[in-house]
């Protein structure tokens, strides 16, 4: 087995198993550490201009990836009307640029705010750099390898499904341009780092708040 095949057929499983296994261990033993450790109380203005575009941009990009992964035939329908496919490409590129701009703001904030820098670990910087490289590579792919939605559905989606069905087939990936291969590999690397970083807050979304009983708050003021 070549190094590339090992990287795309074995490493993804190691990353996912590490993510799930260590996340469960961390949640069960150190539940209070499952948090983004927000630094908003230390500095809020730059955080707003970085966090909002980052979360909206990356959220929409990930939803697009997941949608095509779950329903690859939808791209064929879009491809029947070129203007729709072009609109999708432009929208995805804008979302990617939005995510990149947000990350740049967050990186600058970590470096320029003394109070935020004091609580920033080396691993925080590693994650920020990886996320920035991942988003930048995605934007470059969108620019230099046009109609990504179409070839993504025909190459990377079958590869991801082969991983999901425990029949990994790296032939879909090893012939792709190096930039796309790097994008895929960094994605699994980031997944593997989730339980060791602030990214673990992805698993602490308070969905229970959506279905909890109504709470009545009564304010008593002295007259």
């Amino acid at each position: 087995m070549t190094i590339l095949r090992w990287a795309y057929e074995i490493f993804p499983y190691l990353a996912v198993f590490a993510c799930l296994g260590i996340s469960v261990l961390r949640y069960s033993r150190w539940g209070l550490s499952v948090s983004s450790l927000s630094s908003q109380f230390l500095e809020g203005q730059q955080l707003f201009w970085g966090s909002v575009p980052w979360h909206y941009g990356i959220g929409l990009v990930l939803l697009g990836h997941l949608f095509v992964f779950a329903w690859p035939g939808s791209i064929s329908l879009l491809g029947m009307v070129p203007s729709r496919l072009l609109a999708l490409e432009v929208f995805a590129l804008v979302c990617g640029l939005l995510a990149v701009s947000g990350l740049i703001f967050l990186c600058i904030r970590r470096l320029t705010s003394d109070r935020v820098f004091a609580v920033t670990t080396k691993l925080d910087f590693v994650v920020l750099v990886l996320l920035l490289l991942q988003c930048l590579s995605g934007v470059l792919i969108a620019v230099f390898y046009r109609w990504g939605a179409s070839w993504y559905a025909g190459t990377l989606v079958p590869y991801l499904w082969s991983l999901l069905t425990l029949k990994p087939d790296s032939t879909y990936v090893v012939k792709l341009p190096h930039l796309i291969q790097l994008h895929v590999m960094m994605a699994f690397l980031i997944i593997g780092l989730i339980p060791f970083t602030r990214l673990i807050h992805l698993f602490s979304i308070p969905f229970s708040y959506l279905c909890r009983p109504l709470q009545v708050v009564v304010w008593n003021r002295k007259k």
Side-chain angles (χ1 to χ4, degrees), residues 57-90:
I58 196 63
L60 291 171
V61 168
L62 290 177
L63 283 176
H65 282 65
L66 290 174
F67 180 79
V68 178
F69 171 74
W71 190 22
S74 61
I75 298 301
S76 299
L77 298 176
L78 286 173
M80 296 174 64
V81 183
S83 59
R84 293 180 182 176
L85 188 59
L86 178 61
L88 177 63
E89 293 284 316
V90 173

Side-chain angles (χ1 to χ4, degrees), residues 13 27 42-43 65 92 104 112 159 167 171 181 196 212:
Y13 291 110
Y27 191 85
L42 297 176
E43 193 284 323
H65 282 65
I104 291 175
T112 58
Y159 162 67
K167 298 177 181 178
T171 56
Q181 292 184 20
F196 305 100
R212 70 174 183 174

Side-chain angles (χ1 to χ4, degrees), residues 8-22:
Y8 294 110
E9 294 183 5
I10 304 299
F11 180 71
Y13 291 110
L14 296 178
V16 172
F17 289 155
C19 176
L20 297 178
I22 298 176

Side-chain angles (χ1 to χ4, degrees), residues 191-204:
I191 290 173
L193 287 175
I194 285 177
F196 305 100
T197 65
R198 299 172 190 260
L199 292 177
I200 197 171
H201 76 280
L202 293 170
F203 298 133
S204 61

Side-chain angles (χ1 to χ4, degrees), residues 51-61 95 98-99:
S51 180
V52 172
W54 156 246
H55 283 94
Y56 275 106
I58 196 63
L60 291 171
V61 168
C95 290
L98 197 64

Side-chain angles (χ1 to χ4, degrees), residues 25-41:
L25 179 64
R26 181 173 172 180
Y27 191 85
S28 61
R29 293 196 175 185
W30 305 283
L32 295 178
S33 71
V34 181
S35 167
S36 63
L37 301 175
S38 176
S39 57
Q40 184 176 3
F41 68 96

Side-chain angles (χ1 to χ4, degrees), residues 54 58 61 93 95-104 107 128-145 179-180 182-183 186 190:
W54 156 246
I58 196 63
V61 168
L93 179 59
C95 290
L97 290 172
L98 197 64
V100 169
S101 64
L103 273 177
I104 291 175
C107 290
L128 281 173
V129 170
L130 280 175
L131 290 174
L132 185 58
L133 290 176
Q134 180 72 352
C135 292
L136 281 174
S137 65
V139 169
L140 291 175
I141 289 170
V143 172
F144 293 108
Y145 302 100
L179 182 61
I180 300 175
L182 178 65
H183 189 71
M186 283 196 299
I190 292 171

